[in-house]
Amino acid sequence: MKILERLTVGGIMLLTDHVDIPTELIRAQEEERLVVFAGAGVSMASPSNIPGFVDLAKAVAKSYGQKYYVKQQRVQPPDVFLGSLNSKNGGQGVHEIVKQIMSRETSRPSQLHNLIPLLFKSARDLKIVTTNYDAHFLTVLKNYGERFDGFDIFRAPALPRGDDFRGIVYLHGNVEQDSRWLVVTNRDFGRAYLTEGWARDFLRDLYLSDYTILFIGYSHRDTIVDYLARGLDIRQSNRYALVSASDAERWKEINVIPVSYPLTPEKKKVHYELQKALENWTSLVSSDFETHIDRIESIAGKKPGIDHKDDSYLTYCLNREDLTVIFCRFAEDFAWVEWLDSKAMLDNLFREEESLTEIEKSLTRWFVKTAFVSSSQEHLTFLASRRSSLNPYLVSSIVEHMADSDLEIPDTCQAEWLNLILNNWHKGETPCLAMLKALKKVDVTTNPWIITKAIQSFFSLSQTGKPAKLSLFHRQYDLEPLVKPDCLKRFWSEIIEPNLDILHEDILSILTSQLMKAVTDMSVINGSVREYDSICSARKTIEESEPESNPQWLHIYIDLVRDTILHLIKTDNKDRNFYYEWWRRSRAPILWRILLYAVSEDPSCSDDDRVRIVLDNGWLINPVLKAETAKIISNSLRTTSTSVLMKVVETIERELDRLSRVPNLGDDQRSNPAIGEILLAIEKSGVDSPEIKKLVKPLKEKERS
């Protein structure tokens, strides 16, 4: 991503009329991730008046009776020149002279020395790295007293880990230590960055860390920047530099984002805009909390205006968790939603994979709260217009607010919000029980469609992604519904069951389709039986619920279909005949079993009708259906016609003869478990027919043999 694109996406904040900074720096400062790199420019300002590296080389050269020219640095950089002086004096002198120059009593901390520490709240988050040798930062930090009490000091070569430190780091040493440790000459820099590498290792860890780095007081012409640039080829977007506009391009080349300020014509105030920007930034950081509250209320309590200062101030506030909460307290007008959107502060609400920050969570809760306080549908329209998936936290916040709020929401508006939630449901994250509370507030007679949508969503089966238990009759994956079994049970008992007169078509149609899907996905054709169904094998009888058996969702689906069809039977609703025929024509044995159970309970079906359904569909000897088939035989056979009775016996006889003629079958393969059940059912039926008894007796003997 290009640098300018990053700035636009991240947002900017106006510190002065001429200086704006990326909000990432504001967030880093607030979250204690900011590291300030202080260069020579910080100490060159009055009253410090510390010379930069070129002027330092000039001063040292003068002590040796030599001269060093600005133009000379192109062929002989200052560190190389100082190294040549050291060798001419037996390796002694230069470091001590540098220490003396940097320790002049007339030098005092500059305003930048005083301002930079104020970007940190305490010694706990203080992170200043400087390549300067003077001790002015130490003076300032001690003057601030308790705020930075006990701060840590690190001097080269004894440096901390670059990715985990606090305090002030003198990367090239400072005047309070032995002068031999000052990194001054090219040989010193070679040791620091190459052979011994203590500075190199520190910078590498720092550049790869989660810290956000801000360079202050450096120029692209500085020799030291060439050393600092080593490792900056690591492409990170967490490095910034407060630099003059003329220096900006050079910093881009070394993968640092420039935050530019204009130079002023007056020589003594050439970097005035830099100082003013830091003054305004530290003023915001140090302002009393009550002052912030009053100012936020005065701005957010009305519609957004065009005042750039107010705009910039709120940008700052919305990068602080505590002040974001205050903004949310006072901002009520929908225009603030549009304002936040224009600043890209709501973008992550439309990214379903993104984890929200605490600030974004506060804005999310505020958005939801104001959405339901408003009598208009502007918030709903805003969400729908983005045509993007919603973040799980936003969806959950909407659900929970609708569940717990006592606000009266118009029926149509309420249904549209619920529809938005269902369209953006996040499995395992959206709170199902809260959704049920919200759905219970729906007038089913007015808006049955939203309950239908919920049934369709909640009961929809999908692959779990987990390997199924090893079995010939399972495919690669198990299935599960969108929500947990407990939620399905409550959805049924609290919403669907009380409204079955309205919802029976939806629940039967949807669950029938899902059971057919389950059969397709979890079963295989087996030539020895008409069709083996692992779904059926999990359920002993349709009549008796099995709440503790797995998979739970399967037993819930079967129970709900059973109870819904019983409701239609009880109310004599003719719609049940449609489902009878649908189930009969399906290739799902579990639906055949439900059909057999239903007709066994349906008083409109005669005993002949019940037994004929079993016979005409070839289900009498299907072992998968034996429980429900045996029930019909035992309950209905006694009053059926003789022709039906004879057909039952003939069917059993044909099956036994078929099995006896099949070659190469073992004894265990020559039996059909359904036949024994049916013969037992015939006995239980109490059929008082000599013909049937005469026929059944040899069949039982043949079946036993």
Side-chain angles (χ1 to χ4, degrees), residues 318-347:
L318 291 167
N319 281 278
R320 280 180 54 174
E321 291 181 21
D322 55 346
L323 298 184
T324 298
V325 172
I326 303 304
F327 169 83
C328 294
R329 183 191 305 173
F330 296 115
E332 295 180 354
D333 198 282
F334 178 74
W336 285 112
V337 173
E338 297 173 317
W339 182 86
L340 288 166
D341 189 43
S342 71
K343 304 290 183 184
M345 292 184 184
L346 301 179
D347 283 2

Side-chain angles (χ1 to χ4, degrees), residues 38-66:
V42 174
S43 295
M44 290 168 66
S46 180
S48 294
N49 301 316
I50 298 291
F53 209 29
V54 172
D55 288 333
L56 177 63
K58 289 181 180 180
V60 175
K62 187 176 181 180
S63 298
Y64 278 79
Q66 297 188 32

